[in-house]
Amino acid sequence: MYAAERQQETLRLAEEHGRVDVPSLAARFHVTAETVRRDLKALARAGLLHRVHGGAVPGTRLAFEPDLAERDTVAADEKDRIARAALAELPTEGSVILDAGSTTARLAQALPAEAALTVVTHALPLAARLADHPGISLHLVGGRVRHRTRAAVDDWALRAYREINADVAVLATNGAAPHGPLTTPDLAEAAVKRAIVAAADRVVLVAHSAKFGVRHFARFADLSQVDTLVTDSGLAAGTVRAVEGHGVRVVRA
């Protein structure tokens, strides 16, 4: 079993039982206690679990949102593969909205030099990475900048997204339910994500498999509004089938 698969199952068990403990997880996955502790540490750094003595509880109970720099270090290899696979979902020419997030930032970094796109984003780190790209016509959406995500929110951002119609939106999420909504901790971030979905002809969701089974406070979309999910190979087959049941094409990188 890959680390991403263990971590996804750990999140599911924590949500179902309210707590997981190291010895039980080690026995269930046939791994050492140290391996389980590394998994729990990675999930805790992403804000998906909260460590307690001997185990962990669901992070969503604590309304904790990790800083972007912290999230960027979690599942880095999987996020790189997701970003590279998502490049194939972009048009060769046309307009693209890039949502704020650690995986979308990797996608921005991976855009080839020959790319000729109009890119719209409200995320400062993405704009900084694309500002010197020779083929990108970059539009930066303004607003109040949230420190945790380095992304613009509130009325200015919402007005800007209402004024455009993009070919593709690349969307990020903090939580995803195979039979329910996409969620994020902050209501202002959720409002911007809803505006992004409405502003694009096609929506591509980039999400690490550990996001599935995680729920946050603010709902911004349903899977039925997504055209393609690009994720990693750790997403369980049953979850893939559930997602596809919403009419979503699933790409596992």
Side-chain angles (χ1 to χ4, degrees):
M1 180 179 284
Y2 292 110
E5 294 176 302
R6 286 197 312 272
Q7 291 168 14
Q8 183 186 359
E9 179 65 6
T10 298
L11 288 172
R12 187 191 68 78
L13 292 168
E15 182 69 26
E16 180 178 341
H17 301 290
R19 179 188 173 101
V20 290
D21 64 85
V22 172
S24 296
L25 291 174
R28 184 185 188 94
F29 299 138
H30 305 290
V31 296
T32 65
E34 184 57 35
T35 296
V36 171
R37 292 189 187 97
R38 283 198 297 268
D39 286 344
L40 295 180
K41 182 178 179 180
L43 292 168
R45 289 178 66 183
L48 302 175
L49 289 179
H50 176 67
R51 294 294 302 277
V52 296
H53 181 69
V57 297
T60 51
R61 294 185 175 186
L62 305 174
F64 172 71
E65 182 183 8
D67 184 87
L68 180 63
E70 296 176 48
R71 294 203 307 270
D72 194 49
T73 63
V74 176
D77 291 341
E78 290 93 338
K79 289 177 180 178
D80 283 336
R81 292 199 300 271
I82 291 169
R84 289 193 295 269
L87 288 175
E89 306 300 322
L90 304 184
T92 54
E93 295 181 352
S95 53
V96 175
I97 299 172
L98 293 181
D99 191 12
S102 57
T103 306
T104 52
R106 284 173 158 79
L107 173 61
Q109 187 69 42
L111 282 172
E114 63 271 18
L117 295 168
T118 296
V119 175
V120 183
T121 188
H122 61 292
L124 298 183
L126 274 69
R129 296 185 185 197
L130 293 173
D132 294 326
H133 192 293
I136 298 298
S137 175
L138 178 64
H139 295 255
L140 177 60
V141 171
R144 175 177 65 88
V145 175
R146 289 194 70 231
H147 293 298
R148 285 205 172 274
T149 59
R150 279 66 157 183
V153 296
D154 294 341
D155 287 346
W156 286 1
L158 297 177
R159 283 201 300 270
Y161 279 126
R162 282 196 292 265
E163 293 176 357
I164 68 172
N165 181 42
D167 295 315
V168 177
V170 182
L171 190 67
T173 189
N174 297 81
H179 300 288
L182 304 176
T183 56
T184 194
D186 185 76
L187 287 169
E189 295 267 7
V192 173
K193 289 176 182 292
R194 278 194 295 273
I196 289 173
V197 171
D201 293 335
R202 189 164 66 91
V203 175
V204 177
L205 176 66
V206 290
H208 185 266
S209 59
K211 301 291 183 69
F212 282 84
V214 177
R215 290 180 298 175
H216 287 276
F217 176 66
R219 176 176 183 159
F220 63 86
D222 290 308
L223 280 170
S224 59
Q225 296 172 273
V226 173
D227 296 282
T228 301
L229 165 66
V230 184
T231 186
D232 58 89
S233 59
L235 191 63
T239 304
V240 171
R241 290 192 295 271
V243 172
E244 290 175 335
H246 292 274
V248 181
R249 183 172 68 94
V250 178
V251 177
R252 289 195 287 180

